[in-house]
Amino acid sequence: MALVLVLLPIVAGFLLFVLPKEDRAVSKTIGAVVAAVTFLLTIFARDGGDFSVRWLSRPFASNFHFNVGGVSYWIALLLALCTFCAILAANVPRLRSFVALVLILEGTMLGVFTARDLVAFALFWDLMLIPVFFTLAGWGEHRETAWRYIIYNFAGGLTLLLATAAFGVLYGTTDVIGTSHQLVGSWIPWIFAGFAFAFLVKTPVFPLHTWMPATYADTPSPMVAVVSAVQSKAGLYGFIVIALPFMRDAMVNSQWFFIVLGLISLLYGAYVALVQTDGKRIVAYSSLSHLGLILIAIFSFNPVALEGAIVYIVAHGLFSAALFLVLGYIEEREDTRSLVRLGGLGRANPRLAGAFTIAALAALGLPGLAGFAGEIVILTGVFRGGLWWPALIALVPIVIAAAYILRLLQGMINGPEVVDLPERRDLTWIEGLALAPLLAALVVLGINPHAVLSSALAPPTVAGSLHGHPSQLAEAERR
């Protein structure tokens, strides 16, 4: 089943290229059907259909091994849902090629999140850069943004590949994701550094974030919805399923370095979001802030904080995808996303305003929506993990988030109505259909986060890594 999930969108994406270029409706329908089937298959793929084929036997054993379970199940489900919504929302020139690239991106990212072998993980890690690069080059406003994206992320991919090779030589096999065994030796900090650099670039985290705002601003909204919602989680996923089960000691030794990076990202992202006037850049910098919070949760080595991190990974994916899709709709109609040029859209566009408000309030952390559930569990876990002052500092950007989110809502949806905007068309039924699953999931996860909390750490490898650390185990038992 896992291999089908990976191959189905990739094969469908390449087959779309043989369709006539001008046949937009057929391209979109085929893309939506393939994405819907992939989503349905993902729902039933959990812990079923392990696929493994031997690839290398020397200098280390390596298999093309795929499976869906635990953390990867929830992120794969998030990816499949966001891809379906993005294709429904797509309305760009050369639609056939765009939909094909979105499907190929989905397949390569499913390869990352379902790979159980580090070589396969590294292979799909680099492959998922290609569709985003061609999207930026073909539809982006500035060609240099595409090159900045590929150079940053390819540098990360190179260190990931070197670290994977070193891991294989040291350990004897790379078919290890989903297992747990703490590596020892003088080379482990260097191998961890190789993985960590790639993960920090991809997340991204300050000061490696400079490719992100331009990429999010230049990429068409349906594609950036997928990239922001899911691709940016690949680094955090790597820390959870690779670094923690195998290099926990290296993580513990560098704990404060990563917590400081997380705090800087948290504060810097929130401050820059507060002073931006471009709607996409506000959401981009707010993502930098939110992802910094998740990084702190992972490096707190507290089981509660880690569960909260996984809930927040899913929640952030849902509300960031919804926000970018609505901003895309606004940009299509009004030819701008600037708070200086927009205002009062809610009066003529009640459905658009309602959708934007729900997504924005989830990003703000309103109780009852998914964002609140993730934040409160993370902060509780970080505080209980003994990191009380990082937990207190993390409250500051959460308060700032209320300011920039309300400013975004006030600037675009409420406030004085701008009379010379070109179009006041509300959401069409298909635009609403693209947003409805994301908004419904935000409400369901906000009311019942237990669905993710109870199963995200199901593989014994991740939870066992935390409980295997003597100080953390003693602390957890004492609580």
Side-chain angles (χ1 to χ4, degrees), residues 264 308 415 469:
I264 294 173
H469 190 262

Side-chain angles (χ1 to χ4, degrees), residues 165-455:
F167 185 104
V169 171
L170 185 72
Y171 196 66
T173 178
T174 54
D175 191 359
V176 296
I177 299 176
T179 63
S180 179
H181 179 82
Q182 288 301 308
L183 301 180
V184 294
S186 58
W187 282 94
I188 299 306
W190 294 102
I191 295 174
F192 171 68
F195 280 111
F197 179 77
F199 297 158
L200 291 176
V201 170
K202 183 64 71 184
T203 299
V205 172
F206 179 92
L208 303 171
H209 69 287
T210 54
W211 63 269
M212 183 263 283
T215 299
Y216 286 11
D218 280 4
T219 311
S221 291
M223 178 65 93
V224 80
V226 178
V227 173
S228 169
V230 192
Q231 194 179 87
S232 65
K233 310 304 185 302
L236 301 168
Y237 173 79
F239 277 120
I240 294 171
V241 303
I242 297 173
L244 196 55
F246 294 97
M247 292 163 279
R248 185 193 60 237
D249 289 344
M251 291 180 71
V252 171
N253 292 336
S254 54
Q255 179 187 30
W256 285 104
F257 172 75
F258 288 93
I259 285 181
V260 169
L261 283 184
L263 285 172
I264 294 173
S265 302
L266 195 58
L267 292 163
Y268 174 75
Y271 172 73
V272 179
L274 190 61
V275 298
Q276 290 289 317
T277 57
D278 182 312
K280 272 188 171 180
R281 287 183 180 269
I282 292 174
V283 179
Y285 280 105
S286 73
S287 291
L288 175 64
S289 182
H290 293 139
L291 296 174
L293 180 63
I294 300 174
L295 187 71
I296 294 170
I298 293 171
F299 277 86
S300 71
F301 304 111
N302 180 275
V304 175
L306 190 58
E307 288 178 331
I310 295 166
V311 172
Y312 204 55
I313 283 173
V314 178
H316 178 268
L318 294 170
F319 66 67
S320 63
L323 285 172
F324 276 118
L325 290 184
V326 177
L327 286 169
Y329 294 151
I330 294 173
E331 189 176 10
E332 283 176 21
R333 289 160 167 77
E334 318 300 350
D335 198 29
T336 182
R337 50 179 189 261
S338 170
L339 270 62
V340 178
R341 284 284 302 122
L342 293 168
L345 290 177
R347 297 177 187 176
N349 305 274
R351 294 192 294 273
L352 184 145
F356 198 34
T357 302
I358 293 172
L361 293 179
L364 184 152
L366 187 76
L369 296 173
F372 173 79
E375 282 181 353
I376 195 68
V377 176
I378 285 177
L379 291 173
T380 303
V382 171
F383 191 82
R384 290 174 61 180
L387 303 175
W388 59 269
W389 69 263
L392 290 175
I393 293 175
L395 292 174
V396 175
I398 291 175
V399 174
I400 297 176
Y404 64 70
I405 289 294
L406 292 177
R407 177 170 167 262
L408 184 65
L409 277 174
Q410 179 69 14
M412 289 191 173
I413 304 301
N414 302 312
E417 189 171 6
V418 178
V419 295
D420 62 343
L421 289 176
E423 192 174 356
R424 305 297 174 87
R425 180 167 49 89
D426 206 352
L427 291 181
T428 63
W429 70 269
I430 196 162
E431 290 171 339
L433 186 62
L435 285 169
L438 298 171
L439 302 179
L442 280 172
V443 176
V444 171
L445 185 58
I447 296 172
N448 183 30
H450 181 71
V452 178
L453 285 169
S454 61
S455 60

